[in-house]
Amino acid sequence: QVQLAESGGGLVQAGGSLRLSCAASRSINAMAWYRQAPGKQRELVAAVASGGSTNYAHSVKGRFTISRDNAKNTVYLQMNSLKPEDTAVYYCKANQWGIDYWGQGTQVTVSS
């Protein structure tokens, strides 16, 4: 079993920045951030493998950066140049041995 604790969400004006953190209760191979806006499906935002390789949704490339600190079992999502359409609940997901674990979600609201 893996527990994930997210933090860092909040309200920010368009053009601003936020950094999300997700601390896992144990070491994890693959970690990712997803988001879900009201009335929309949950979508992948960014993912990072244990070796550090990353991939991003097209909509956030160049603005968001995912990184991880393996010593702390923590993944971060640095979000810059935020837009109102980035407003959503952001979820951390960890995958270990084929099993997905989800955090409780953190709200990010970007005002115009």
Side-chain angles (χ1 to χ4, degrees):
Q1 191 75 347
V2 176
Q3 284 77 46
L4 301 172
E6 299 146 334
S7 61
L11 173 65
V12 65
Q13 288 189 330
S17 298
L18 284 173
R19 189 176 83 150
L20 306 182
S21 298
C22 173
S25 57
R26 52 172 290 181
S27 62
I28 294 291
N29 290 334
M31 300 188 77
W33 287 98
Y34 284 71
R35 67 185 180 188
Q36 187 167 19
K40 294 189 176 181
Q41 288 189 331
R42 192 172 296 189
E43 63 175 358
L44 174 68
V45 176
V48 59
S50 58
S53 60
T54 59
N55 66 284
Y56 296 90
H58 178 74
S59 59
V60 307
K61 275 184 180 178
R63 300 188 297 122
F64 291 11
T65 302
I66 190 170
S67 61
R68 63 188 297 160
D69 184 335
N70 290 333
K72 296 181 179 179
N73 298 330
T74 299
V75 64
Y76 305 97
L77 185 68
Q78 178 66 44
M79 304 185 293
N80 299 328
S81 302
L82 282 160
K83 305 175 181 180
E85 51 263 43
D86 294 318
T87 295
V89 178
Y90 283 70
Y91 296 91
C92 176
K93 190 191 85 170
N95 182 277
Q96 188 76 353
W97 307 117
I99 300 173
D100 288 338
Y101 301 91
W102 292 91
Q104 80 283 358
T106 184
Q107 177 70 45
V108 171
T109 302
V110 184
S111 63
S112 57

XYZ file of all heavy atoms in Angstrom:
843
model
N 0.842 -1.198 0.000
C 0.000 0.000 0.000
C 0.878 1.250 0.000
O 1.918 1.285 0.661
C -0.918 0.012 1.224
C -1.994 1.072 1.181
C -3.118 0.704 0.229
O -2.992 -0.210 -0.574
N -4.209 1.435 0.328
N 0.442 2.252 -0.751
C 1.181 3.506 -0.851
C 0.246 4.653 -0.511
O -0.872 4.720 -1.034
C 1.744 3.705 -2.270
C 2.437 5.055 -2.384
C 2.709 2.574 -2.628
N 0.665 5.527 0.363
C -0.092 6.748 0.656
C 0.603 7.931 -0.014
O 1.832 8.007 -0.024
C -0.187 7.006 2.166
C -1.190 6.123 2.887
C -0.664 4.711 3.100
O 0.462 4.528 3.522
N -1.498 3.725 2.811
N -0.219 8.810 -0.561
C 0.282 9.999 -1.247
C -0.318 11.238 -0.579
O -1.530 11.300 -0.372
C -0.102 9.970 -2.720
C 0.396 8.774 -3.533
C -0.224 8.780 -4.928
C 1.907 8.778 -3.621
N 0.535 12.192 -0.286
C 0.083 13.434 0.352
C 0.460 14.608 -0.538
O 1.645 14.883 -0.749
C 0.733 13.571 1.726
N -0.565 15.282 -1.064
C -0.360 16.411 -1.963
C -0.463 17.724 -1.198
O -1.179 17.830 -0.210
C -1.407 16.405 -3.071
C -1.365 15.180 -3.946
C -2.737 14.763 -4.414
O -3.715 15.081 -3.714
O -2.840 14.122 -5.464
N 0.227 18.722 -1.719
C 0.132 20.065 -1.145
C 0.521 21.083 -2.205
O 1.091 20.715 -3.241
C 1.042 20.202 0.078
O 2.386 19.991 -0.279
N 0.173 22.341 -1.948
C 0.636 23.416 -2.812
C -0.406 24.063 -3.688
O -0.107 25.025 -4.402
N -1.629 23.557 -3.692
C -2.651 24.186 -4.513
C -3.082 25.522 -3.940
O -2.646 25.933 -2.859
N -3.932 26.231 -4.678
C -4.423 27.512 -4.201
C -4.992 28.353 -5.312
O -5.247 27.863 -6.415
N -5.179 29.625 -4.999
C -5.731 30.594 -5.939
C -4.616 31.508 -6.409
O -3.856 32.040 -5.588
C -6.831 31.406 -5.261
C -7.417 32.582 -6.044
C -8.135 32.092 -7.290
C -8.366 33.383 -5.157
N -4.524 31.686 -7.713
C -3.475 32.532 -8.277
C -4.046 33.275 -9.477
O -4.971 32.780 -10.134
C -2.254 31.678 -8.665
C -2.592 30.705 -9.781
C -1.057 32.538 -9.037
N -3.492 34.420 -9.764
C -3.924 35.175 -10.940
C -3.269 34.608 -12.193
O -2.196 33.991 -12.138
C -3.558 36.646 -10.794
C -4.403 37.390 -9.770
C -4.158 38.885 -9.805
O -3.061 39.333 -10.137
N -5.163 39.665 -9.455
N -3.904 34.823 -13.309
C -3.339 34.398 -14.587
C -1.944 34.987 -14.752
O -1.705 36.152 -14.428
C -4.237 34.844 -15.734
N -1.033 34.145 -15.231
C 0.360 34.551 -15.373
C 1.217 34.211 -14.173
O 2.447 34.307 -14.239
N 0.583 33.810 -13.076
C 1.308 33.492 -11.865
C 1.836 32.067 -11.860
O 1.739 31.334 -12.852
N 2.406 31.694 -10.712
C 3.036 30.375 -10.573
C 2.587 29.693 -9.287
O 2.231 30.360 -8.305
C 4.559 30.521 -10.542
O 5.056 31.071 -11.739
N 2.614 28.382 -9.318
C 2.390 27.552 -8.145
C 3.286 26.331 -8.256
O 3.630 25.905 -9.362
C 0.935 27.076 -8.057
C -0.139 28.053 -7.593
C -1.512 27.404 -7.743
C 0.092 28.491 -6.162
N 3.627 25.765 -7.098
C 4.355 24.506 -7.098
C 3.598 23.492 -6.261
O 3.329 23.740 -5.077
C 5.780 24.660 -6.563
C 6.601 23.392 -6.775
C 8.044 23.534 -6.353
N 8.234 23.319 -4.928
C 9.357 22.826 -4.380
N 10.378 22.518 -5.173
N 9.455 22.677 -3.084
N 3.266 22.379 -6.875
C 2.604 21.284 -6.178
C 3.643 20.261 -5.733
O 4.637 20.038 -6.425
C 1.578 20.608 -7.088
C 0.522 21.502 -7.733
C -0.438 20.646 -8.554
C -0.214 22.319 -6.699
N 3.363 19.650 -4.593
C 4.232 18.590 -4.078
C 3.392 17.360 -3.777
O 2.229 17.476 -3.388
C 4.928 19.038 -2.783
O 5.749 20.156 -3.005
N 3.998 16.212 -3.950
C 3.329 14.951 -3.634
C 4.355 14.039 -2.978
O 5.327 13.627 -3.627
C 2.766 14.304 -4.885
S 2.093 12.650 -4.619
N 4.144 13.762 -1.699
C 5.056 12.915 -0.951
C 4.468 11.516 -0.829
O 3.322 11.354 -0.390
C 5.309 13.503 0.428
N 5.248 10.528 -1.227
C 4.813 9.132 -1.143
C 5.358 8.485 0.130
O 6.405 8.878 0.641
C 5.292 8.357 -2.365
N 4.629 7.485 0.594
C 5.015 6.827 1.846
C 6.173 5.847 1.643
O 6.727 5.316 2.613
C 3.820 6.099 2.455
O 3.291 5.170 1.530
N 6.530 5.577 0.373
C 7.638 4.681 0.059
C 8.161 5.034 -1.312
O 7.564 5.812 -2.037
C 7.164 3.231 0.110
C 5.938 2.967 -0.724
C 5.615 1.520 -0.818
N 6.604 0.816 -1.632
C 6.559 -0.466 -1.898
N 5.602 -1.204 -1.371
N 7.470 -1.044 -2.646
N 9.265 4.444 -1.687
C 9.839 4.732 -2.998
C 8.929 4.180 -4.089
O 8.331 3.117 -3.935
C 11.236 4.133 -3.114
O 11.188 2.737 -3.000
N 8.843 4.938 -5.151
C 7.921 4.622 -6.244
C 8.661 4.745 -7.570
O 9.495 5.632 -7.735
C 6.725 5.603 -6.244
C 5.884 5.403 -5.001
C 5.875 5.451 -7.494
C 5.136 4.111 -4.954
N 8.342 3.862 -8.508
C 8.969 3.948 -9.823
C 8.416 5.102 -10.645
O 9.110 6.062 -10.951
C 8.792 2.633 -10.574
C 9.618 1.522 -9.976
O 10.650 1.771 -9.355
N 9.165 0.298 -10.130
N 7.166 5.030 -10.991
C 6.574 6.020 -11.883
C 5.587 6.901 -11.118
O 4.761 6.400 -10.357
C 5.850 5.328 -13.025
N 5.717 8.184 -11.332
C 4.796 9.123 -10.693
C 4.305 10.116 -11.736
O 5.008 10.384 -12.723
C 5.467 9.844 -9.530
C 5.943 8.901 -8.433
S 6.523 9.751 -6.961
C 4.967 10.218 -6.189
N 3.137 10.645 -11.489
C 2.541 11.545 -12.476
C 1.556 12.479 -11.816
O 1.090 12.230 -10.697
C 1.837 10.746 -13.570
N 1.270 13.551 -12.512
C 0.214 14.486 -12.118
C -0.899 14.433 -13.168
O -0.620 14.477 -14.374
C 0.742 15.907 -12.023
C 1.604 16.139 -10.825
C 2.970 16.120 -10.775
C 1.159 16.439 -9.503
N 3.404 16.386 -9.495
C 2.305 16.587 -8.693
C -0.084 16.609 -8.905
C 2.247 16.886 -7.329
C -0.155 16.903 -7.557
C 1.001 17.042 -6.780
N -2.119 14.353 -12.687
C -3.316 14.438 -13.512
C -4.131 15.630 -13.024
O -3.918 16.143 -11.939
C -4.152 13.165 -13.381
C -3.622 11.974 -14.127
C -2.472 11.315 -13.701
C -4.276 11.483 -15.257
C -1.983 10.215 -14.388
C -3.806 10.387 -15.942
C -2.658 9.758 -15.501
O -2.175 8.662 -16.186
N -5.089 16.030 -13.833
C -6.024 17.065 -13.392
C -7.416 16.778 -13.938
O -7.568 16.121 -14.969
C -5.553 18.460 -13.823
C -5.569 18.714 -15.313
C -4.958 20.076 -15.612
N -4.953 20.374 -17.041
C -4.351 21.417 -17.592
N -3.690 22.288 -16.816
N -4.404 21.619 -18.888
N -8.384 17.313 -13.212
C -9.773 17.144 -13.636
C -10.512 18.450 -13.388
O -10.636 18.895 -12.235
C -10.442 15.996 -12.887
C -11.822 15.663 -13.416
C -12.336 14.333 -12.894
O -11.853 13.804 -11.901
N -13.311 13.757 -13.591
N -10.973 19.035 -14.478
C -11.773 20.253 -14.393
C -13.244 19.869 -14.310
O -13.631 18.768 -14.730
C -11.512 21.130 -15.611
N -14.093 20.751 -13.790
C -15.529 20.436 -13.671
C -16.121 20.052 -15.014
O -15.930 20.742 -16.016
C -16.120 21.749 -13.147
C -14.994 22.411 -12.438
C -13.766 22.064 -13.200
N -16.814 18.923 -15.027
C -17.475 18.483 -16.236
C -16.575 17.854 -17.272
O -17.018 17.536 -18.381
N -15.298 17.671 -16.936
C -14.349 17.097 -17.889
C -13.729 15.829 -17.318
O -13.752 15.581 -16.122
C -13.258 18.110 -18.225
C -13.760 19.331 -18.972
C -12.608 20.186 -19.452
C -13.091 21.367 -20.275
N -11.956 22.198 -20.775
N -13.154 15.040 -18.223
C -12.478 13.826 -17.799
C -11.119 14.158 -17.195
O -10.508 15.182 -17.511
C -12.290 12.879 -18.991
C -13.577 12.233 -19.473
C -13.317 11.151 -20.510
O -12.334 11.212 -21.241
N -14.193 10.157 -20.567
N -10.666 13.275 -16.338
C -9.332 13.432 -15.776
C -8.314 13.238 -16.887
O -8.433 12.320 -17.697
C -9.112 12.418 -14.648
C -7.890 12.678 -13.809
C -7.856 11.752 -12.595
N -8.976 11.996 -11.694
C -9.081 11.435 -10.484
N -8.117 10.610 -10.056
N -10.126 11.688 -9.735
N -7.294 14.091 -16.907
C -6.295 14.023 -17.965
C -4.888 14.060 -17.388
O -4.636 14.669 -16.344
C -6.466 15.190 -18.951
C -6.267 16.563 -18.337
C -6.319 17.695 -19.364
O -6.477 17.420 -20.570
O -6.175 18.863 -18.946
N -3.976 13.417 -18.108
C -2.580 13.432 -17.710
C -1.988 14.808 -17.959
O -2.158 15.390 -19.036
C -1.795 12.391 -18.501
C -0.277 12.384 -18.295
C 0.069 11.930 -16.884
C 0.391 11.490 -19.329
N -1.274 15.327 -16.973
C -0.579 16.609 -17.113
C 0.904 16.371 -17.387
O 1.467 16.907 -18.335
C -0.742 17.460 -15.841
C 0.056 18.754 -15.953
C -2.217 17.759 -15.586
N 1.526 15.570 -16.535
C 2.957 15.305 -16.678
C 3.296 14.032 -15.922
O 2.634 13.698 -14.936
C 3.783 16.464 -16.145
N 4.341 13.354 -16.387
C 4.767 12.121 -15.739
C 6.290 12.068 -15.702
O 6.961 12.638 -16.574
C 4.216 10.907 -16.477
N 6.805 11.376 -14.697
C 8.255 11.205 -14.579
C 8.540 9.771 -14.141
O 7.910 9.248 -13.222
C 8.858 12.224 -13.583
C 8.258 12.090 -12.197
C 10.374 12.101 -13.544
N 9.481 9.149 -14.835
C 9.865 7.783 -14.503
C 10.976 7.807 -13.446
O 11.532 8.863 -13.140
C 10.345 7.069 -15.758
N 11.283 6.658 -12.917
C 12.295 6.584 -11.858
C 13.648 7.082 -12.333
O 14.416 7.661 -11.554
C 12.416 5.150 -11.335
O 12.738 4.269 -12.394
N 13.928 6.892 -13.609
C 15.208 7.347 -14.159
C 15.240 8.819 -14.505
O 16.298 9.350 -14.865
N 14.059 9.464 -14.405
C 14.015 10.905 -14.649
C 13.421 11.321 -15.973
O 13.213 12.517 -16.196
N 13.140 10.385 -16.861
C 12.531 10.772 -18.129
C 11.125 11.301 -17.883
O 10.417 10.818 -16.995
C 12.492 9.595 -19.095
O 11.733 8.540 -18.553
N 10.747 12.299 -18.677
C 9.479 12.981 -18.453
C 8.653 13.045 -19.732
O 9.180 12.919 -20.838
C 9.715 14.423 -17.958
O 10.481 15.130 -18.942
C 10.464 14.437 -16.635
N 7.357 13.241 -19.556
C 6.494 13.578 -20.684
C 5.387 14.489 -20.185
O 5.017 14.451 -19.003
C 5.945 12.353 -21.394
C 5.004 11.546 -20.547
O 5.418 10.838 -19.664
N 3.712 11.660 -20.824
N 4.898 15.312 -21.094
C 3.946 16.361 -20.750
C 2.772 16.383 -21.720
O 2.921 16.050 -22.894
C 4.621 17.740 -20.814
C 5.725 17.932 -19.821
C 7.043 17.615 -20.131
C 5.451 18.449 -18.558
C 8.061 17.805 -19.210
C 6.465 18.650 -17.630
C 7.768 18.313 -17.962
O 8.764 18.506 -17.043
N 1.643 16.830 -21.216
C 0.523 17.143 -22.095
C 0.917 18.337 -22.957
O 1.643 19.239 -22.508
C -0.715 17.472 -21.274
N 0.416 18.336 -24.177
C 0.766 19.412 -25.103
C 0.396 20.780 -24.535
O 1.115 21.757 -24.722
C 0.065 19.188 -26.435
C 0.311 20.263 -27.436
N 1.514 20.401 -28.109
C -0.470 21.284 -27.877
C 1.452 21.430 -28.925
N 0.258 21.994 -28.802
N -0.709 20.820 -23.807
C -1.233 22.098 -23.318
C -0.358 22.742 -22.246
O -0.509 23.934 -21.963
C -2.646 21.917 -22.779
O -2.647 20.970 -21.716
N 0.545 21.968 -21.648
C 1.364 22.529 -20.561
C 2.850 22.559 -20.896
O 3.646 23.073 -20.108
C 1.155 21.755 -19.242
C -0.322 21.675 -18.893
C 1.769 20.367 -19.295
N 3.224 22.033 -22.045
C 4.642 22.020 -22.417
C 5.204 23.433 -22.448
O 4.581 24.344 -22.995
C 4.820 21.362 -23.787
C 4.917 19.856 -23.741
C 5.189 19.277 -25.118
C 5.283 17.774 -25.073
N 5.505 17.182 -26.408
N 6.378 23.587 -21.851
C 7.014 24.889 -21.809
C 6.579 25.750 -20.648
O 7.186 26.784 -20.362
N 5.511 25.347 -19.960
C 5.026 26.111 -18.808
C 5.162 25.334 -17.508
O 5.418 25.918 -16.453
C 3.549 26.496 -19.001
C 3.290 27.342 -20.228
C 1.845 27.857 -20.254
N 0.872 26.769 -20.331
C -0.093 26.582 -19.425
N -0.204 27.397 -18.390
N -0.959 25.591 -19.577
N 4.958 24.032 -17.557
C 5.017 23.186 -16.365
C 6.285 22.338 -16.405
O 6.733 21.916 -17.476
C 3.817 22.253 -16.296
C 2.491 22.925 -16.036
C 2.343 24.305 -16.086
C 1.370 22.156 -15.743
C 1.124 24.910 -15.840
C 0.144 22.736 -15.499
C 0.016 24.124 -15.559
N 6.810 22.059 -15.221
C 7.973 21.185 -15.099
C 7.739 20.185 -13.978
O 7.439 20.584 -12.843
C 9.244 21.987 -14.805
O 9.465 22.953 -15.833
C 10.455 21.053 -14.732
N 7.858 18.910 -14.307
C 7.750 17.865 -13.290
C 9.151 17.424 -12.896
O 10.052 17.330 -13.736
C 6.917 16.668 -13.803
C 6.604 15.706 -12.651
C 7.594 15.960 -14.963
C 5.572 14.621 -13.029
N 9.335 17.191 -11.627
C 10.632 16.726 -11.141
C 10.399 15.833 -9.930
O 9.301 15.792 -9.377
C 11.525 17.910 -10.762
O 10.940 18.679 -9.720
N 11.445 15.123 -9.531
C 11.295 14.221 -8.392
C 12.559 14.249 -7.550
O 13.657 14.469 -8.068
C 10.958 12.805 -8.837
C 12.016 12.122 -9.686
C 11.491 10.804 -10.242
N 11.179 9.847 -9.175
C 10.377 8.794 -9.332
N 9.827 8.556 -10.499
N 10.159 7.962 -8.326
N 12.363 14.010 -6.270
C 13.462 13.856 -5.327
C 13.334 12.449 -4.770
O 12.501 12.197 -3.885
C 13.358 14.921 -4.226
C 14.529 14.883 -3.256
O 15.150 13.811 -3.115
O 14.812 15.916 -2.646
N 14.115 11.532 -5.277
C 13.979 10.131 -4.884
C 14.329 9.920 -3.410
O 13.777 9.024 -2.762
C 14.840 9.252 -5.765
C 14.318 9.161 -7.188
O 13.110 9.320 -7.426
N 15.201 8.935 -8.141
N 15.218 10.732 -2.882
C 15.587 10.595 -1.473
C 14.412 10.912 -0.559
O 14.319 10.397 0.561
C 16.769 11.490 -1.152
N 13.518 11.770 -1.039
C 12.358 12.169 -0.237
C 11.076 11.503 -0.722
O 9.997 11.793 -0.188
C 12.181 13.693 -0.281
C 13.333 14.471 0.344
C 13.062 15.972 0.276
C 14.185 16.757 0.926
N 13.949 18.230 0.852
N 11.173 10.657 -1.745
C 9.980 10.010 -2.326
C 8.929 11.057 -2.697
O 7.726 10.862 -2.457
C 9.375 9.000 -1.341
C 10.328 7.879 -1.006
O 11.164 7.504 -1.812
N 10.217 7.359 0.203
N 9.374 12.146 -3.270
C 8.492 13.279 -3.545
C 8.601 13.692 -5.006
O 9.698 13.707 -5.580
C 8.841 14.473 -2.639
O 8.674 14.083 -1.274
C 7.939 15.660 -2.936
N 7.455 14.016 -5.581
C 7.404 14.545 -6.941
C 6.819 15.952 -6.875
O 5.956 16.232 -6.043
C 6.587 13.640 -7.873
C 5.123 13.581 -7.443
C 6.698 14.082 -9.317
N 7.322 16.811 -7.735
C 6.895 18.208 -7.759
C 6.332 18.552 -9.131
O 6.708 17.956 -10.146
C 8.076 19.133 -7.459
C 8.782 18.829 -6.168
C 9.936 18.047 -6.147
C 8.300 19.322 -4.957
C 10.589 17.758 -4.960
C 8.949 19.037 -3.763
C 10.090 18.255 -3.771
O 10.728 17.973 -2.592
N 5.467 19.538 -9.147
C 4.984 20.098 -10.408
C 5.083 21.612 -10.290
O 4.301 22.226 -9.564
C 3.553 19.668 -10.706
C 3.028 20.115 -12.068
C 3.765 19.373 -13.199
C 1.523 19.876 -12.200
N 6.061 22.175 -10.983
C 6.207 23.621 -11.030
C 5.370 24.145 -12.173
O 5.561 23.735 -13.322
C 7.677 24.005 -11.236
C 7.915 25.498 -11.350
C 7.617 26.249 -10.063
O 7.992 25.805 -8.985
N 6.946 27.388 -10.176
N 4.431 25.010 -11.853
C 3.500 25.518 -12.856
C 3.711 27.020 -13.004
O 3.497 27.779 -12.053
C 2.061 25.222 -12.425
C 1.805 23.746 -12.160
S 0.073 23.377 -11.804
C -0.127 24.221 -10.240
N 4.143 27.427 -14.176
C 4.382 28.835 -14.485
C 3.417 29.304 -15.572
O 2.823 28.493 -16.275
C 5.821 29.039 -14.941
C 6.840 28.661 -13.887
O 6.591 28.798 -12.687
N 7.994 28.193 -14.323
N 3.295 30.601 -15.702
C 2.436 31.198 -16.735
C 1.053 30.565 -16.718
O 0.510 30.180 -17.759
C 3.074 31.048 -18.118
O 4.351 31.639 -18.154
N 0.495 30.465 -15.548
C -0.792 29.793 -15.401
C -1.901 30.540 -16.134
O -1.901 31.780 -16.209
C -1.140 29.639 -13.923
C -0.383 28.491 -13.223
C -0.388 28.684 -11.724
C -0.996 27.162 -13.610
N -2.838 29.755 -16.654
C -3.973 30.276 -17.403
C -5.265 29.849 -16.713
O -5.286 28.834 -16.016
C -3.963 29.729 -18.829
C -2.679 29.973 -19.591
C -2.727 29.282 -20.946
C -1.436 29.493 -21.727
N -1.473 28.815 -23.055
N -6.342 30.593 -16.935
C -7.627 30.182 -16.332
C -8.018 28.750 -16.697
O -8.618 28.043 -15.872
C -8.616 31.207 -16.898
C -7.780 32.428 -17.119
C -6.443 31.910 -17.580
N -7.652 28.299 -17.882
C -7.994 26.935 -18.278
C -7.187 25.871 -17.548
O -7.446 24.678 -17.715
C -7.851 26.764 -19.801
C -6.528 27.218 -20.375
C -6.591 28.633 -20.939
O -7.193 29.526 -20.284
O -6.011 28.850 -22.020
N -6.212 26.285 -16.757
C -5.486 25.332 -15.909
C -6.241 25.039 -14.611
O -5.826 24.172 -13.832
C -4.094 25.876 -15.557
C -3.186 25.990 -16.763
O -3.174 25.070 -17.595
O -2.489 27.020 -16.868
N -7.326 25.758 -14.376
C -8.122 25.540 -13.176
C -8.662 24.116 -13.141
O -9.303 23.666 -14.097
C -9.280 26.549 -13.110
O -8.739 27.868 -12.975
C -10.204 26.242 -11.946
N -8.392 23.411 -12.056
C -8.800 22.011 -11.935
C -8.376 21.498 -10.559
O -7.631 22.168 -9.836
C -8.146 21.162 -13.016
N -8.844 20.306 -10.255
C -8.279 19.562 -9.125
C -7.121 18.737 -9.679
O -7.288 18.010 -10.660
C -9.322 18.652 -8.454
C -8.680 17.866 -7.318
C -10.497 19.483 -7.932
N -5.982 18.888 -9.060
C -4.774 18.188 -9.505
C -4.528 16.990 -8.587
O -4.537 17.117 -7.361
C -3.584 19.137 -9.489
C -3.584 20.089 -10.663
C -4.525 21.112 -10.743
C -2.662 19.964 -11.694
C -4.556 21.974 -11.826
C -2.678 20.828 -12.779
C -3.630 21.821 -12.839
O -3.655 22.679 -13.917
N -4.301 15.846 -9.219
C -4.101 14.591 -8.495
C -2.711 14.031 -8.784
O -2.256 14.015 -9.932
C -5.132 13.555 -8.922
C -6.554 13.904 -8.612
C -7.341 14.592 -9.525
C -7.132 13.536 -7.392
C -8.653 14.916 -9.249
C -8.455 13.854 -7.114
C -9.205 14.540 -8.044
O -10.511 14.858 -7.760
N -2.102 13.534 -7.763
C -0.848 12.811 -7.895
C -1.165 11.328 -8.051
O -2.073 10.806 -7.382
C -0.006 13.047 -6.638
S 1.535 12.133 -6.586
N -0.469 10.663 -8.939
C -0.637 9.227 -9.116
C 0.715 8.543 -9.091
O 1.676 9.027 -9.685
C -1.312 8.916 -10.454
C -1.734 7.451 -10.590
C -2.159 7.101 -12.005
C -0.972 6.745 -12.864
N -1.386 6.179 -14.172
N 0.748 7.441 -8.380
C 1.956 6.617 -8.343
C 1.615 5.230 -8.870
O 0.510 4.735 -8.657
C 2.483 6.511 -6.917
N 2.555 4.646 -9.587
C 2.358 3.293 -10.089
C 3.503 2.422 -9.615
O 4.671 2.729 -9.856
C 2.287 3.282 -11.610
C 2.025 1.887 -12.149
O 2.947 1.081 -12.300
N 0.772 1.588 -12.418
N 3.146 1.372 -8.908
C 4.159 0.450 -8.397
C 3.689 -0.964 -8.670
O 2.610 -1.355 -8.241
C 4.362 0.686 -6.888
C 5.522 -0.066 -6.289
C 6.862 0.549 -6.638
O 6.960 1.473 -7.429
N 7.912 0.050 -6.023
N 4.490 -1.694 -9.430
C 4.181 -3.086 -9.764
C 2.803 -3.227 -10.392
O 2.056 -4.160 -10.076
C 4.297 -3.972 -8.518
C 5.614 -3.848 -7.805
C 5.816 -3.394 -6.552
C 6.913 -4.140 -8.331
N 7.162 -3.386 -6.259
C 7.862 -3.831 -7.316
C 7.383 -4.631 -9.571
C 9.219 -3.995 -7.502
C 8.755 -4.801 -9.743
C 9.641 -4.486 -8.710
N 2.469 -2.234 -11.258
C 1.228 -2.327 -12.001
C -0.003 -1.847 -11.263
O -1.118 -1.914 -11.798
N 0.163 -1.375 -10.054
C -0.961 -0.885 -9.256
C -0.896 0.634 -9.173
O 0.163 1.196 -8.883
C -0.946 -1.486 -7.842
C -1.030 -3.013 -7.921
C -2.103 -0.943 -7.006
C -0.855 -3.693 -6.586
N -2.022 1.275 -9.452
C -2.101 2.737 -9.367
C -2.577 3.169 -7.989
O -3.534 2.610 -7.442
C -3.071 3.282 -10.417
C -2.514 3.196 -11.832
O -1.281 3.117 -11.980
O -3.322 3.226 -12.775
N -1.933 4.185 -7.466
C -2.329 4.806 -6.202
C -2.563 6.282 -6.466
O -1.776 6.920 -7.178
C -1.244 4.630 -5.137
C -0.906 3.190 -4.840
C 0.108 2.541 -5.536
C -1.605 2.474 -3.877
C 0.419 1.219 -5.278
C -1.288 1.151 -3.602
C -0.276 0.526 -4.321
O 0.020 -0.788 -4.058
N -3.622 6.834 -5.886
C -3.992 8.231 -6.129
C -3.981 9.030 -4.837
O -4.362 8.519 -3.764
C -5.390 8.301 -6.730
C -5.488 7.758 -8.118
C -5.775 6.474 -8.484
C -5.300 8.481 -9.342
N -5.777 6.355 -9.849
C -5.493 7.586 -10.410
C -4.992 9.815 -9.644
C -5.393 7.961 -11.754
C -4.886 10.197 -10.966
C -5.084 9.272 -12.010
N -3.592 10.292 -4.957
C -3.720 11.214 -3.854
C -5.132 11.742 -3.777
O -5.980 11.432 -4.617
N -5.385 12.576 -2.775
C -6.742 13.078 -2.535
C -7.083 14.253 -3.426
O -8.255 14.634 -3.541
C -6.894 13.480 -1.058
C -6.306 14.845 -0.689
C -4.794 14.833 -0.552
O -4.140 13.801 -0.701
N -4.234 16.000 -0.259
N -6.096 14.843 -4.057
C -6.324 15.974 -4.947
C -6.117 17.303 -4.255
O -6.356 17.435 -3.049
N -5.670 18.280 -5.024
C -5.509 19.636 -4.513
C -6.045 20.611 -5.555
O -5.778 20.463 -6.751
C -4.028 19.925 -4.164
O -3.914 21.222 -3.579
C -3.122 19.856 -5.392
N -6.822 21.579 -5.101
C -7.479 22.510 -6.009
C -6.519 23.593 -6.462
O -5.837 24.216 -5.629
C -8.689 23.151 -5.329
C -9.415 24.190 -6.169
C -10.170 23.593 -7.337
O -10.869 22.591 -7.185
N -10.029 24.189 -8.518
N -6.492 23.822 -7.758
C -5.768 24.951 -8.339
C -6.788 25.808 -9.074
O -7.499 25.311 -9.951
C -4.669 24.477 -9.309
C -4.071 25.664 -10.064
C -3.582 23.728 -8.552
N -6.861 27.067 -8.707
C -7.782 27.998 -9.336
C -6.999 29.184 -9.870
O -6.261 29.830 -9.119
C -8.846 28.481 -8.349
O -9.557 27.352 -7.819
C -9.847 29.404 -9.037
N -7.161 29.443 -11.164
C -6.468 30.551 -11.810
C -7.504 31.578 -12.235
O -8.386 31.282 -13.047
C -5.657 30.077 -13.025
C -4.859 31.239 -13.609
C -4.733 28.928 -12.646
N -7.409 32.763 -11.684
C -8.369 33.819 -12.000
C -7.855 34.667 -13.164
O -6.650 34.861 -13.325
C -8.614 34.699 -10.777
O -7.411 35.348 -10.404
N -8.802 35.159 -13.941
C -8.420 35.965 -15.125
C -8.307 37.439 -14.778
O -8.657 37.876 -13.713
C -9.437 35.763 -16.233
O -10.718 36.107 -15.767
